[in-house]
């Protein structure tokens, strides 16, 4: 019976210590873990494609899973777009993750992004695309972690403009009379 009470007391003290530790260093609610760097406007003519580079910055002390995490249980980093009908997105290329191990499991390496990382893609204007400027809305879905814990998944919205320009055909020069 004395052992039972000792275990209950030990559990209560440990739980209280964890609660107090959580109060001193609470999970960063509303914390921004990742930011999107400004994205250059993209120009493309109908029937052509043009590259786009999306640069993101993971705050110091944190990492996010790569687009191809080492385990199915881990949430991959992904980019999604909401597009006007005049624009499409071609192949998206994510960088390779950096293989790192962390104190919670030093024997297992995880594929993560930290610091700056770049996602590349192609903007495609269909042949019948109307000329003009279109705003592309995107979203980076990720899960941030530090060396001790992971936080709920987040979505980071971003935007950039695509200008559909004439096909680059040169008009003939006017001849002097």
């Amino acid at each position: 019976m004395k052992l039972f009470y000792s275990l209950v007391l030990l559990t209560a003290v440990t739980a209280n210590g964890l609660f107090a530790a959580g109060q001193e260093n609470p999970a960063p609610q509303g914390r921004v873990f990742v930011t999107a760097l400004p994205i250059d406007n993209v120009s493309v003519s109908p029937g052509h494609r043009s590259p786009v580079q999306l640069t993101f910055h993971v705050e110091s002390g944190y990492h996010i899973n790569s687009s191809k995490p080492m385990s199915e249980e881990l949430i991959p980093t992904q980019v999604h777009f909401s597009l006007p009908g005049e624009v499409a997105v071609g192949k998206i290329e994510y960088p390779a993750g950096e293989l790192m191990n962390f104190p919670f499991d030093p024997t297992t390496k995880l594929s993560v992004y930290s610091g700056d990382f770049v996602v590349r893609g192609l903007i495609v204007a269909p042949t019948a695309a109307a000329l003009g400027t279109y705003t592309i809305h995107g979203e980076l879905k990720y899960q941030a972690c530090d060396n001790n814990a992971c936080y709920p998944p987040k979505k980071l919205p971003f935007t950039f403009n695509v200008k559909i320009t004439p096909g680059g055909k040169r008009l003939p020069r006017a001849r002097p009379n």
Side-chain angles (χ1 to χ4, degrees), residues 5 27 53 62 75 79 88 102 113 115 125-126 133 142 144 157 160 170 175:
Y5 286 117
Q53 180 171 300
Y62 298 94
I75 297 171
V79 174
F102 297 94
Y113 300 140
T133 301
Y142 68 92
F160 63 96
R170 288 188 166 186
R175 294 185 184 177

Side-chain angles (χ1 to χ4, degrees), residues 49-71:
R49 62 185 82 169
S50 185
V52 64
Q53 180 171 300
L54 311 169
T55 304
F56 300 97
H57 176 75
V58 180
E59 293 298 317
S60 179
Y62 298 94
H63 61 272
I64 63 175
N65 295 320
S66 74
S67 64
K68 294 182 180 176
M70 304 297 282
S71 169

Side-chain angles (χ1 to χ4, degrees), residues 15-103:
N16 188 38
L18 291 174
F19 177 77
Q23 294 301 312
E24 293 168 15
N25 188 15
Q29 298 292 332
R31 167 87 193 224
V32 175
F33 300 104
V34 179
T35 54
L37 277 57
I39 303 166
D40 292 335
N41 292 335
V42 177
S43 292
V44 63
S45 56
H48 292 87
R49 62 185 82 169
S50 185
V52 64
Q53 180 171 300
L54 311 169
T55 304
F56 300 97
H57 176 75
V58 180
E59 293 298 317
S60 179
Y62 298 94
H63 61 272
I64 63 175
N65 295 320
S66 74
S67 64
K68 294 182 180 176
M70 304 297 282
S71 169
E72 289 182 16
E73 291 83 31
L74 299 175
I75 297 171
T77 294
Q78 298 176 330
V79 174
H80 298 279
F81 296 96
S82 175
L83 301 167
E86 304 301 321
V87 178
V89 175
K91 183 179 180 182
I92 298 292
E93 293 180 3
Y94 295 91
E98 181 180 356
L99 294 178
M100 297 178 71
N101 34 351
F102 297 94

